[in-house]
Amino acid sequence: MSGLTLSQQYMLLASDPAVHKLVPPVKQVMQTYVCGAGIAGLLLEGRLRLHENGKLEVVNATPTGSAGADLLLAQCSAAAKPKTVRKWIHDLYAHRRFRVPFCDAEMAPLVADGLMSEERRKVLFVFPRTVQTPDPAAVHRIVQHIRSGMLAQPPADDATVLLVMLLDASKLLKAYFSPYEQQELRDRLKALQERQVNNWSIVRQVRRAIDEIHVVIVTTAGM
């Protein structure tokens, strides 16, 4: 959707309480996917590049106008040596010192624009906690944008394709789409890849990065 980063769109869908009626999302996992969406968005924009050896390289570190993206670029630029996507994601998952500021930076415009509300609560009446709830209308607009771009009138823009990939990797497609629609979305991804061979290389690279996110979360969480 226009005006929202890939991370922000994913954050709105992933934090929807209607999706997690019984068990709230694991914040560490959701935040890692949000950071992964940030990496995916910068790859798509050509700000980051993924080498064949899997290592990320900063191509353009000039200010983007997005506080979250600028934080991510600065973090990648400050690395002593290039890291693989898997290493970046592992570090983001394991250490909150960057993961949380990035997510806060992506969250702030959503709260300011009324797309996300915040409520202070206490766990067991003692421990303070902030609960973020997305505006249902904003969630609906994103889902409908996916439907119109991927199911009704393809081809979709690359950002919508990547959002579908992220939702699929994090098992959230089923929260918003019927089994039939889920299969249609996966079939569209495959068809787009076959038809747009020349333009698909960057999307394929991002898919590789998304797969790394899933591998890191599954293997690390199971330790």
Side-chain angles (χ1 to χ4, degrees), residues 173-221:
L173 273 185
K174 62 183 178 181
Y176 296 104
F177 301 97
S178 69
Y180 171 78
E181 288 177 320
Q182 292 172 53
Q183 189 57 52
E184 283 287 299
L185 287 169
R186 296 184 182 107
D187 289 345
R188 284 293 160 82
L189 290 177
K190 183 178 179 181
L192 284 169
Q193 183 171 356
E194 291 172 351
R195 288 201 306 268
Q196 302 180 24
V197 177
N198 294 333
N199 298 328
W200 197 260
S201 60
I202 184 62
V203 178
R204 188 163 52 245
Q205 287 187 355
V206 176
R207 177 69 213 208
R208 179 179 166 192
I210 291 170
D211 289 341
E212 292 284 16
I213 299 170
H214 181 69
V215 169
V216 167
I217 288 175
V218 170
T219 57
T220 308

Side-chain angles (χ1 to χ4, degrees), residues 7 34-35 38 68-69 71-72 98-107:
S7 295
V34 170
C35 292
L71 274 175
L72 185 52
F98 174 74
R99 186 182 74 242
V100 171
F102 173 79
C103 290
D104 287 346
E106 289 292 277
M107 176 79 70

